[in-house]
Amino acid sequence: AIWGDLVTPGQVKIYKELLPYTTINAATLSAAIVKRMGSPEKCIYMWVPKDTRIFNDPRKKRDIEVSYAGSLKKDRLERINFLIDNGTPVYYRGGEREEHLTIAQYADIFKCSKITLSFARQYFPHYSHVIDARPFEAMNCGAMVMEEENFETAKLFIPFVDYVPYTSKKDLLEKVRYYLKHDKERETIARNGYEKVTNLYSAKRFWQLIIERVLY
């Protein structure tokens, strides 16, 4: 079984009901949650595997300065509007409840972005630090990820090497302005993230590890 939201009570309930019948449970989103689940012989923490036929870097012209693709929750929209109000345009699209994008349209936003925003705290029913699919998708497409500071992303990626964390609206604005002015630094971080997801956190390696664990 593969679990993408073990921070939600509903998935935890189903996970526990299925535990006697599963050989391996691969859980993404939060290493801390996996640890609290217990059963380390059956439940392992993994990254989010992405199909590189869709999420890849064709070296398109990056004519989007800053983007955000995803749901427009209140705290996210506040930060986006803060950037816009302070002279930094943000191209934002998507959200399951707001606007449906095809998977190709969604990936294309990252392929055309210099910087893409990511948010790493979710409410289930309290705030948890998580790393969802967005950083893996954006890095596969060659965009530099600027993610809300949290302890989950830093377990897989190196801050200021593979991605850039931010701590507040003001900090976000300052870092966005800095990295838009320093192309080489931004491009180096984006390339480091790309190399890490395409090699260490690839879909091929994900399935190799899962299959080996199940068989042996």
Side-chain angles (χ1 to χ4, degrees):
I2 298 176
W3 306 90
D5 281 306
L6 271 185
V7 293
T8 63
Q11 279 209 10
V12 172
K13 180 177 182 293
I14 298 169
Y15 162 83
K16 290 179 177 178
E17 291 173 348
L18 290 179
L19 194 59
Y21 311 104
T22 52
T23 302
I24 291 295
N25 291 269
T28 63
L29 202 68
S30 169
I33 293 294
V34 171
K35 188 174 182 180
R36 289 202 292 270
M37 288 292 103
S39 305
E41 74 285 355
K42 279 196 167 188
C43 190
I44 59 174
Y45 176 61
M46 295 290 282
W47 60 91
V48 183
K50 303 309 300 184
D51 187 344
T52 53
R53 292 173 299 179
I54 299 168
F55 294 96
N56 55 63
D57 183 9
R59 303 298 180 93
K60 285 188 173 184
K61 180 181 179 181
R62 296 192 178 274
D63 51 7
I64 299 175
E65 301 276 284
V66 183
S67 70
Y68 170 67
S71 59
L72 294 172
K73 298 177 182 178
K74 182 180 177 181
D75 59 330
R76 301 178 183 186
L77 192 56
E78 284 178 356
R79 296 182 187 190
I80 290 169
N81 285 332
F82 183 77
L83 292 178
I84 295 171
D85 292 343
N86 284 276
T88 301
V90 180
Y91 179 82
Y92 59 96
R93 298 277 305 276
E96 294 175 0
R97 294 177 181 84
E98 292 89 11
E99 175 192 20
H100 176 72
L101 298 175
T102 67
I103 192 70
Q105 289 173 325
Y106 176 74
D108 203 52
I109 293 173
F110 300 132
K111 293 174 185 179
C112 296
S113 298
K114 295 176 180 178
I115 296 172
T116 198
L117 305 179
S118 187
F119 301 89
R121 300 184 189 186
Q122 299 186 20
Y123 192 79
F124 297 113
H126 50 78
Y127 277 106
S128 298
H129 290 225
V130 299
I131 175 171
D132 61 16
R134 191 175 294 103
F136 300 96
E137 294 162 344
M139 288 180 187
N140 265 298
C141 295
M144 192 193 86
V145 173
M146 192 167 286
E147 170 132 284
E148 184 177 18
E149 187 175 61
N150 72 96
F151 53 69
E152 289 296 340
T153 304
K155 292 174 182 176
L156 298 177
F157 300 101
I158 303 172
F160 300 103
V161 174
D162 303 318
Y163 75 106
V164 175
Y166 63 89
T167 58
S168 64
K169 290 189 292 187
K170 182 180 178 182
D171 186 49
L172 172 61
L173 177 63
E174 290 175 352
K175 285 175 177 172
V176 164
R177 286 174 171 172
Y178 177 86
Y179 284 103
L180 286 177
K181 291 178 180 177
H182 295 80
D183 292 342
K184 289 186 178 179
E185 289 183 46
R186 184 190 69 247
E187 290 165 2
T188 296
I189 292 171
R191 184 51 44 178
N192 289 341
Y194 173 84
E195 294 294 337
K196 186 157 284 186
V197 293
T198 55
N199 291 294
L200 190 59
Y201 303 134
S202 68
K204 180 179 179 180
R205 184 165 177 262
F206 177 98
W207 288 110
Q208 285 175 334
L209 292 174
I210 294 295
I211 292 169
E212 287 173 4
R213 182 75 176 257
V214 170
L215 293 179
Y216 306 114

